[in-house]
Amino acid sequence: MISAIKKEIFLRKDELENKTLSSLYFGGGTPSILSVDEIKSLIDEVLKYFDFEKNIEITLEANPDDLDKNFLKNLAKTEINRLSIGTQSFFEEDLKLMNRAHNASEAESSIKRAQDFGFENLSIDLIYGSPTSNFEIWKQNLQKTIELQVPHVSSYALTIEPKTALNAWIKKNKISKPEESTQNKEFYYLSDFLKDHGFIHYEISNFAKKDFESKHNSAYWKYKEYLGIGPSAHSYNGRNQRSWNVANNTKYIKNLAENTLPNETEILTEKDQYNEMLMIGLRTIWGVDLEKLKDKFSMEILEIFKKSIQPKLEEGILITEENHLKIPEKHWFLADGIASDLFIV
């Protein structure tokens, strides 16, 4: 797999217009199962074809149970300067329900160990609205986050996907289904609590202390180009083309051994680009840049846009500020539905 990833980097090195990177992200779930030497070799491979900005953000997604002392000690010697830790919860019952490999003690100790080895730029994931949780437990999860001085939080409502153990348990009445009203309440408490403790709520699911916003994810939300390497990875050219790699590891490795890119490409129509700009922009504190919208789209689409937003402006669930269209934060829990109402199908 490592060899295949290096081959893909080589084959796609000319796809990015900007050869100086502002972020590099090791994600996709469990890159922390790699050895530090393997992570370092991938960084070195990227450096063969790209330059790094002086303040580049290099993130590693990690499971708490992978962050032992030896791993962190060696990782601190590499260019990795940000960790995104899949904490999910500081409570045992939540972690069992979500089938996490780590326990509540490891959730906390992994953060402290990372800080001991000099990793200050930390992000953790927290899940709310779990049937094993309640409002009091959720408050304690957030209080623990503050006590641990974590500067970035990504937080999501628990969703039940088809063909999962969670879905089966709900059907058999082993656990109760997450209540949207409970998730709504916990979402707004999350937002108010973290803002009261100095966090900026800069995207629906993301909160950061000043200067700790994710550079990498912010690039997605601002429609910048990005290159995704590895199975299932997605790429975007910043204009009208998106591509994605096969999810199957065997096919991925086989294709690259034959010097063939294992991806599919889609040319986005004007309607696709319009819908994406609204969906992504309305999830953020920055909103949708109306000047960019005006420059990018035809008069026909702009006329549809003006008509579709007018009722929502009058209702107050959309506002304009400094030539940006935004959803007031009190309506953010409904943002995806508000944006989809504006889509052109």
Side-chain angles (χ1 to χ4, degrees):
M1 178 60 75
I2 298 285
S3 297
I5 286 172
K6 289 180 179 180
K7 174 70 75 68
E8 188 187 0
I9 293 170
F10 169 72
L11 291 175
R12 302 184 66 193
K13 65 185 187 299
D14 296 323
E15 284 187 32
L16 287 181
E17 286 185 14
N18 188 352
K19 296 296 183 193
T20 303
L21 305 183
S22 60
S23 76
L24 181 62
Y25 196 99
F26 289 86
T30 54
S32 54
I33 65 167
L34 295 174
S35 71
V36 172
D37 284 345
E38 287 167 335
I39 293 167
K40 175 66 177 163
S41 77
L42 288 173
I43 294 172
D44 289 343
E45 192 69 20
V46 174
L47 279 167
K48 287 181 183 177
Y49 315 110
F50 298 94
D51 295 319
F52 288 171
E53 278 187 4
K54 184 182 177 185
N55 296 319
I56 187 172
E57 172 190 279
I58 306 183
T59 304
L60 178 77
E61 281 187 1
N63 291 323
D65 45 307
D66 289 331
L67 296 177
D68 61 38
K69 284 185 178 179
N70 191 50
F71 182 81
L72 285 164
K73 179 183 175 183
N74 291 316
L75 194 68
K77 297 171 186 173
T78 72
E79 291 90 340
I80 299 285
N81 55 24
R82 183 176 184 268
L83 296 178
S84 177
I85 304 174
T87 307
Q88 316 298 6
S89 174
F90 294 103
F91 286 85
E92 208 66 52
E93 288 305 307
D94 291 344
L95 295 170
K96 284 179 182 173
L97 177 79
M98 292 180 261
N99 200 27
R100 302 299 296 174
H102 65 280
N103 59 36
S105 172
E106 285 172 321
E108 183 174 343
S109 62
S110 65
I111 293 167
K112 290 178 177 175
R113 273 197 303 276
Q115 291 166 331
D116 288 344
F117 282 100
F119 290 98
E120 294 179 4
N121 194 353
L122 298 179
S123 177
I124 64 169
D125 291 344
L126 291 177
I127 303 292
Y128 59 89
S130 165
T132 49
S133 184
N134 57 43
F135 192 56
E136 192 54 43
I137 286 174
W138 182 232
K139 287 161 75 172
Q140 289 179 50
N141 262 320
L142 294 174
Q143 185 59 46
K144 178 64 70 177
T145 301
I146 298 303
E147 289 169 9
L148 290 168
Q149 298 183 314
V150 173
H152 189 283
V153 176
S154 296
S155 191
Y156 308 94
L158 181 72
T159 54
I160 308 300
E161 301 294 340
K163 299 178 182 176
T164 60
L166 277 179
N167 195 42
W169 291 342
I170 288 170
K171 284 182 176 177
K172 292 175 183 174
N173 294 317
K174 286 187 175 181
I175 58 169
S176 56
K177 186 179 179 181
E179 293 287 338
E180 189 173 308
S181 60
T182 301
Q183 293 185 337
N184 188 322
K185 180 182 177 184
E186 291 183 354
F187 170 78
Y188 285 112
Y189 181 81
L190 158 77
S191 179
D192 291 341
F193 181 86
L194 290 182
K195 284 190 294 182
D196 286 346
H197 286 84
F199 283 76
I200 301 160
H201 191 180
Y202 70 108
E203 193 268 350
I204 287 177
S205 302
N206 286 273
F207 305 80
K209 290 288 184 79
K210 188 176 184 301
D211 299 328
F212 283 94
E213 296 91 341
S214 167
K215 286 185 184 180
H216 194 82
N217 290 342
S218 295
Y220 297 147
W221 302 324
K222 292 179 179 178
Y223 333 114
K224 294 181 179 177
E225 64 170 350
Y226 55 88
L227 184 62
I229 302 291
S232 299
H234 283 61
S235 303
Y236 176 54
N237 71 352
R239 298 181 301 281
N240 68 340
Q241 184 175 301
R242 192 175 299 290
S243 66
W244 56 95
N245 286 344
V246 294
N248 184 288
N249 288 358
T250 306
K251 284 184 182 176
Y252 175 83
I253 291 169
K254 183 175 183 292
N255 279 22
L256 284 158
E258 296 167 354
N259 291 315
T260 305
L261 288 176
N263 63 11
E264 293 181 49
T265 299
E266 173 189 21
I267 300 299
L268 301 172
T269 66
E270 189 180 29
K271 286 180 183 177
D272 292 335
Q273 293 173 62
Y274 168 82
N275 291 345
E276 279 199 6
M277 186 176 275
L278 291 180
M279 175 60 87
I280 296 168
L282 289 176
R283 288 181 59 89
T284 71
I285 198 172
W286 310 293
V288 177
D289 186 328
L290 294 175
E291 202 59 44
K292 275 189 183 175
L293 200 79
K294 186 178 170 185
D295 291 343
K296 192 172 176 69
F297 298 109
S298 66
M299 284 303 298
E300 181 189 0
I301 281 185
L302 293 174
E303 283 303 316
I304 295 171
F305 170 72
K306 284 177 187 174
K307 284 180 184 175
S308 65
I309 67 169
Q310 194 55 43
K312 288 179 166 36
L313 288 169
E314 291 169 7
E315 203 179 332
I317 57 177
L318 285 177
I319 57 172
T320 54
E321 281 182 356
E322 297 175 351
N323 214 24
H324 284 70
L325 183 73
K326 302 178 182 181
I327 297 174
E329 205 172 321
K330 64 182 179 181
H331 299 301
W332 269 19
F333 193 71
L334 305 171
D336 288 349
I338 294 168
S340 64
D341 286 347
L342 306 176
F343 287 176
I344 300 173
V345 292

